[in-house]
Amino acid sequence: MNKQKIRLDFWTGVTVLSIAIFSLFLIYPLFSLFVSAFQNAETGAFSLEHFVHFFQRKYYYQSMINSFSVTLCVTVLAILIGTTLAYFMTKYKIKGKNVVEICIIISLLSPPFIGAYSWILIGGRSGMLTQWLYNTFGYEFPSIYGFAGILLVLTLKLYPFIYLYAAGAMKNIDSALIEAAESLGCSGVRKVFTVIVPLITPTILAGALMVFMNAMADFGTPMLIGEGFNVMPVMIYSEFINEVGDQANFAAAMAAIMDEAEERGFGKRRVNYRLRDWLISRQRYWGAPIPIVNCPQCGEVLVPENELPVRLPEDVSFAQGAVSPLSSSESFLHCKCPKCGGDATRETDTMDTFICSSWYYFRYADPHNAERPFDRDAVNYWAPVDQYIGGIEHAILHLLYARFFTKVLRDAEMLDFDEPFTNLLTQGMVIKDGAKMSKSLGNVVSPEEIIDRYGADTARLFILFAAPVERDLDWSDQGVEGAFRFLSRVWRILGQFEETIRSASDAYDTDALSTEETELRRVLHSTVKKVTEDVRDRFMFNTAISSVMELVNAFYAFQDRALHPGLAREAASALVRMLAPFAPHITAELWSRLFTGSVHVQRWPQYDEEALVQDEIEVVLQINGKVRDRVKIAADLDRESMERIVVELPRAKELTAGKTVVKVICVPKKLVNIVVK
């Protein structure tokens, strides 16, 4: 038997070298990583402790679940979009096909961070499209953050893989197979699923694998728009940062030092979580006194538990200086050492107020307990807090403190939950002259000036109306004046009907109302429904106030004519109660004049479902998009009937005479647009 000799030529050498490089730089690292996953970090023995640790902590395994959820959803959506697009692009003649394909391929070239950031610029909280839709139509653009945002960005970035694979496969399908299938009566959808899909399935699966791998490994997209929806790449990055710092050179240096320390036996790797340094003590009066006595003999000595709490003295001087005001109180400063009984001095620094503000709300659950801070059962019943509201700068740090104290109290078995707050709402900041309102920038508006000129209700109403609560507020002097004018209008219209409202009864016959009065009552109860939902469910105070303004406008339509006393009383009662949270002072005065008691102890108004039903609606006639007439029709008419009535209007016939009607566009219960040429 002849042995085949291996010829050592140039290409054989290249092959051997390539295999060696591939093995050294890819296979070996991956194999080493795989082996280390089953080794004890200290002994090197076979162990599953890493896997146990991973699956015991929800933070880790939840990231894996999130990654697979995103990846699978992206893969399925990419297959549906890419395959469908490939079918229409290959089977039909489409104008500008080359331009479309270039646009599709370009999305593949976009780096992950750039693609995600582009979507933030377009549809983020301050994005171009978001601002335009809100400012123009009052429409809230759906959030692009979290799971949905990651799904959107990755799908639009990765579906071209499927498109390219599927389009290539469809172009190579033998047309004879298609013709044979059609001759046998197989056409349309059946042809696609019985002939085309089976032929391109292997290719689509190859493209799906590319999509799956890229989606699983993507870091930039979930990092920018994930907002708490943690996936594996982000988790790995976070763990790396927590362990070795955020600079690559520093990380390499630390890794080398740790390797050397472990090799020589004078150190071991340990994970230290990167917590902020907290400011504990301050040189101020207000705060919790630090229970420590400074003794010349014993050093720092804790105040005995039976002498707690240490109370703030009242004989202090608040003159400016470099020391704490507590140092000015001789009765507080000088004391005896609890340990040796000798002369000593108290610590004069106080703890920062966050020491108290980070847990005080638990005390509300059991405020009269003289034995403990609070009863465990009581705080478990009332807490955690359902809704936390705070400014973004305050909430971030305070949330850290509150979470820390909650977890300490949990570990001390004083409560049974992990988080202090169930929901968090962060308020936007106030912007003036293009920058955050700040004393250092000199763009602060004095509240005293606004209150002296317009009253506290005006300032409060403007702030709540000017922007959604979670967005930044652009300060406007004209806006403040507008809020004042609105409150003045409310005062005038209710003052005009004061005697009618006071003398009327709460119960009245709604069937006795005129058509105009029935419409006012419909607007009233629609407003109650809208304001209730905006305040209770969405914290949309600005749109709630806007709805109240529309109600006041409808009320003003009766300033020069008679209004049913019962309806006037019902409208005034609901209006004042809805406005009370936004303008508490003026509504308190109005309620005392029109009704009895305090508005702030009244029940929130309830809307009547029957009052919301419209008998008639106003429909707009448009000719080529321009409003030409309005007509009232029955609210229950269908599209065809509505279109027929509007088209037959004298104004419509007048403006379309001698012209060709191209088409008629009907928006049910809104408008009819006749397009002519």
Side-chain angles (χ1 to χ4, degrees), residues 173-183 195:
I173 294 177
D174 191 347
S175 59
L177 294 174
I178 305 297
E179 294 173 359
E182 292 175 346
S183 66
V195 180

Side-chain angles (χ1 to χ4, degrees), residues 52-96:
V52 172
H53 179 68
F54 182 90
F55 287 103
Q56 279 183 337
R57 292 191 63 187
K58 186 177 181 179
Y59 170 74
Y60 291 134
Y61 68 75
Q62 186 63 54
S63 300
M64 182 181 67
I65 294 172
N66 291 347
S67 288
F68 277 102
S69 300
V70 167
T71 302
L72 291 172
C73 290
V74 168
T75 303
V76 172
L77 290 174
I79 291 174
L80 294 175
I81 297 172
T83 306
T84 304
L85 188 59
Y87 177 79
F88 284 101
M89 292 288 287
T90 55
K91 300 303 177 184
Y92 298 97
K93 294 182 179 180
I94 299 174
K95 292 183 179 181

Side-chain angles (χ1 to χ4, degrees), residues 5 12 36 87 125 136 142 179 196 214 231 233 248 276 319 327 388 401 424 478 499 563 575 656:
K5 294 182 179 180
T12 303
S36 64
Y87 177 79
R125 295 186 180 88
T136 307
E179 294 173 359
I196 297 176
N214 278 272
V231 295
R276 291 173 178 259
S327 300
Y388 179 100
Y401 304 146
L424 172 67
Q478 293 77 14
E499 294 301 323
L563 178 62
L575 170 61
T656 59

Side-chain angles (χ1 to χ4, degrees), residues 395-416:
I396 292 173
L397 289 176
H398 187 260
L399 183 61
L400 288 175
Y401 304 146
R403 296 187 73 225
F404 172 81
F405 273 89
T406 300
K407 295 180 186 301
V408 169
L409 294 171
R410 176 206 60 193
D411 292 346
E413 299 183 349
M414 296 178 68
L415 45 81
D416 295 339

Side-chain angles (χ1 to χ4, degrees), residues 191-212:
K191 177 181 65 179
V192 172
F193 284 96
T194 57
V195 180
I196 297 176
V197 171
L199 292 173
I200 66 173
T201 295
T203 308
I204 291 177
L205 291 177
L209 181 61
M210 293 291 295
V211 172
F212 188 93

Side-chain angles (χ1 to χ4, degrees), residues 476-549:
S476 167
D477 294 335
Q478 293 77 14
V480 176
E481 293 176 359
F484 178 74
R485 287 196 300 270
F486 167 69
L487 292 177
S488 300
R489 296 189 78 215
V490 173
W491 183 272
R492 287 196 301 271
I493 192 65
L494 293 180
Q496 181 177 333
F497 287 96
E498 180 176 348
E499 294 301 323
T500 302
I501 295 169
R502 289 170 59 90
S503 60
S505 173
D506 291 326
Y508 68 99
D509 184 11
T510 58
D511 294 333
L513 299 177
S514 66
T515 302
E516 292 79 8
E517 290 171 337
T518 301
E519 176 61 16
L520 173 61
R521 189 167 186 269
R522 185 195 67 79
V523 173
L524 168 64
H525 286 271
S526 297
T527 303
V528 173
K529 183 176 186 294
K530 178 70 163 54
V531 172
T532 301
E533 294 172 349
D534 283 349
V535 173
R536 181 191 63 197
D537 303 331
R538 295 186 286 269
F539 291 96
M540 296 295 293
F541 305 128
N542 59 321
T543 56
I545 296 172
S546 177
S547 298
V548 175
M549 290 178 175

